[in-house]
Amino acid sequence: MGRPATGSPRWDAAKGMWTARITLPNGERKPAPLPGIPKCTAVPMGSPASCPCASCVQARRVAKLLSDTARDNGMVPEGTGESWNEWHPRYLAVHKRLGKTTNDMKGPAAKWMGKRLGATPMASMTRAQIVAVRDAMTAAVLAGEMSAKRALNIWSDVVVAPLSRAFTDDDPRYSSVRVGPASANPTANVKPPVGKEQLDEDRRERQPLYPHEFVRVVTCETIPVALRRVYAVATYLYLRPQELYALRWADVDWAAREVRIRRKLNPRTGKERPGAKSDAGVREVPIHPHLMPLLEAMHKEAGKQDSERLVPRSRRLTDKLASGTREALTLAKVARAELVDGTPDLMPFDFRSWRTTGCTWLAMLGTDSYVIAMQAGHKSPDTTWGSYIKRGPDLRQRYGEPFPELPAELLETDPGFGSVSVFGPELPPDFRGKWSGARDSNPRHPAWEAGTLPTELAPQSEYVS
């Protein structure tokens, strides 16, 4: 039997690439090209067997991989070079060192790339293979296995971004995981996955609430104070739902009068992640003067515990956020039918629309689009104008002054629906939901005493604990 395979890399100046001498089990030695690995950065060029530079380390790793494959199969594989499964962990390590989150990438990368292209050499990856991954995602969306938005996020974070950094000419931050030039990028000009839901969202725009309609909601006594507070905070800070529910009192800079967005939280699962939706999402949002008294009152009620969440997560406030928000509009007698039902061009008003409302109000005040994009965490003002801002300063006289003063009742502790009892385990056992049960099941709330809560909504409450 021949000697064990070793695989010794060396730089072939004539070919302008690394090569390796692979020893097969029968003792035969064959050359194997290692394309896509940069030349050694040591000056003068050191020995590949001991040089610590990233290029030599990568060449040794790939050569060892080929040696192991040759030993198992008795031949040098036709496709040589570092595979996706070898390359991607190194990419994640670089990504993490740059301060970027990788927590949401490993699972989707294994599912969509690892299972399909895991053994494929990075330098040999083709456009057709990437298109096949895209088509598989589209099929999953159409089958209802995941949302179109989720597919687009995975496509961007797990497929396009890593391969664009593997095949680049001008991003020195990822030079240690560079595979080839930008011209060889297999994701170039490949359209993302598209499903019915995404097509529907593309056709329909989000709509804001006008200031005079917002006043009707926050002054409506049949809507619990805690809910009205959440709606006010979501509007005046124009945060994404996952940013709003991740906020802690420690993120509020009282002296600078701003909140710092540094993490996100899934409102339904309670799972928290560092960072924001994008680099632009990590930001500071100014606190409007009319919101400051409410935040101060809520902070006082929370016992000034900076580790506590600004809006504590509760099933009653996170289940069915969209329809619950529209129910509040109905209770406040906000009469525009398109807000509740939507139109062929407009999406129904949902919880995320409070963010749309705040961004639109900034535009009504004449705020520069670049400032709005920065405060809202958009990558580009094009996103601001394309998805959020549909109204301008000309509407202020017709629809009211943006960011109106909040009603004093929101600043007072409500014994039935205060910031403690509505969110935490202190809820009484017989309290089953916002509108559920007989009137005497929660006699503390004045709306029950006055008989103003609509009984037709009682048994089917979506806020049942």
Side-chain angles (χ1 to χ4, degrees):
M1 177 178 289
R3 60 180 176 174
T6 55
S8 301
R10 68 182 183 87
W11 179 259
D12 190 325
K15 294 181 179 179
M17 70 170 63
W18 287 93
T19 61
R21 297 287 292 177
I22 306 299
T23 304
L24 302 179
N26 61 5
E28 182 182 2
R29 304 193 74 189
K30 286 190 174 183
L34 308 179
I37 302 177
K39 185 179 179 180
C40 175
T41 57
V43 182
M45 185 174 178
S47 169
S50 59
C51 181
C53 80
S55 297
C56 288
V57 170
Q58 184 178 358
R60 290 197 298 269
R61 182 184 295 110
V62 176
K64 180 63 167 60
L65 174 66
L66 293 181
S67 295
D68 292 343
T69 304
R71 180 179 56 203
D72 294 339
N73 300 333
M75 60 180 293
V76 177
E78 292 183 4
T80 58
E82 189 178 25
S83 68
W84 165 271
N85 284 343
E86 286 281 319
W87 177 88
H88 191 251
R90 296 199 305 110
Y91 165 77
L92 291 182
V94 174
H95 202 61
K96 189 173 183 178
R97 282 200 302 269
L98 292 172
K100 302 177 185 296
T101 180
T102 61
N103 293 332
D104 297 333
M105 297 183 184
K106 297 178 182 178
K111 177 179 180 179
W112 294 103
M113 293 293 287
K115 289 183 178 180
R116 292 169 172 80
L117 304 176
T120 303
M122 290 290 293
S124 304
M125 206 168 284
T126 66
R127 175 187 173 91
Q129 291 173 314
I130 301 302
V131 169
V133 173
R134 187 273 314 275
D135 291 345
M137 288 186 179
T138 299
V141 171
L142 296 178
E145 297 172 1
M146 68 175 175
S147 68
K149 181 176 178 58
R150 174 67 172 160
L152 285 174
N153 288 341
I154 293 175
W155 173 259
S156 174
D157 296 340
V158 171
V159 181
V160 175
L163 289 177
S164 296
R165 288 159 177 160
F167 296 90
T168 182
D169 302 315
D170 56 2
D171 193 344
R173 299 174 302 168
Y174 292 90
S175 60
S176 63
V177 292
R178 184 177 299 141
V179 173
S183 58
N185 183 0
T187 66
N189 301 318
V190 177
K191 293 184 177 180
V194 177
K196 181 179 182 301
E197 179 185 344
Q198 184 63 36
L199 291 174
D200 183 59
E201 289 183 1
D202 288 344
R203 287 194 298 264
R204 305 173 77 187
E205 299 175 349
R206 290 189 180 275
Q207 50 184 326
L209 210 61
Y210 297 136
H212 75 279
E213 295 170 327
F214 175 84
V215 170
R216 293 186 67 92
V217 173
V218 295
T219 57
C220 179
E221 294 184 356
T222 56
I223 302 174
V225 168
L227 283 175
R228 286 184 275 162
R229 285 176 165 183
V230 172
Y231 297 154
V233 174
T235 302
Y236 283 58
L237 295 179
Y238 32 90
L239 302 179
R240 300 177 178 93
Q242 60 268 36
E243 296 170 344
L244 174 66
Y245 281 93
L247 272 184
R248 298 182 185 274
W249 288 111
D251 299 321
V252 179
D253 189 328
W254 300 101
R257 304 177 73 87
E258 65 185 18
V259 296
R260 298 182 294 270
I261 310 303
R262 297 292 185 270
R263 65 184 75 89
K264 55 185 179 292
L265 179 144
N266 187 321
R268 303 189 188 284
T269 66
K271 199 169 186 179
E272 183 177 301
R273 302 289 191 188
K277 181 179 179 181
S278 64
D279 291 344
V282 177
R283 63 197 188 278
E284 289 73 37
V285 180
I287 301 174
H288 193 279
H290 288 164
L291 180 64
M292 183 61 77
L294 174 58
L295 292 183
E296 291 173 342
M298 294 170 63
H299 190 214
K300 181 179 179 180
E301 290 177 15
K304 297 185 178 180
Q305 296 295 320
D306 287 346
S307 61
E308 296 293 327
R309 297 195 188 282
L310 195 147
V311 179
R313 176 176 165 267
S314 164
R315 182 179 174 186
R316 294 180 61 239
L317 294 182
T318 54
D319 281 1
K320 300 183 180 179
L321 286 173
S323 56
T325 300
R326 290 191 288 272
E327 181 181 292
L329 298 186
T330 300
L331 292 173
K333 295 182 172 54
V334 176
R336 277 197 291 143
E338 64 266 22
L339 289 171
V340 175
D341 301 326
T343 71
D345 300 317
L346 296 172
M347 295 175 62
F349 196 90
D350 59 15
F351 191 85
R352 195 182 178 95
S353 298
W354 297 115
R355 168 176 164 84
T356 303
T357 298
C359 291
T360 301
W361 287 2
L362 289 175
M364 292 173 65
L365 291 173
T367 309
D368 185 89
S369 60
Y370 283 91
V371 175
I372 299 176
M374 179 179 63
Q375 294 181 1
H378 295 153
K379 293 181 179 179
S380 166
D382 293 339
T383 302
T384 308
W385 283 104
S387 302
Y388 290 90
I389 298 179
K390 306 298 177 185
R391 307 294 180 184
D394 58 305
L395 298 182
R396 289 173 65 178
Q397 292 183 345
R398 283 184 282 167
Y399 296 117
E401 191 67 19
F403 302 103
E405 187 173 358
L406 296 172
E409 64 198 72
L410 296 191
L411 311 183
E412 302 172 358
T413 301
D414 180 36
F417 290 88
S419 61
V420 175
S421 64
V422 75
F423 297 115
E426 297 82 6
L427 278 172
D430 60 347
F431 185 79
R432 301 196 304 275
K434 191 175 75 169
W435 311 124
S436 62
R439 181 179 302 179
D440 61 359
S441 67
N442 186 29
R444 298 174 301 166
H445 194 271
W448 285 110
E449 295 297 324
T452 54
L453 287 180
T455 56
E456 66 272 12
L457 296 177
Q460 294 80 27
S461 171
E462 56 207 45
Y463 294 94
V464 174
S465 298

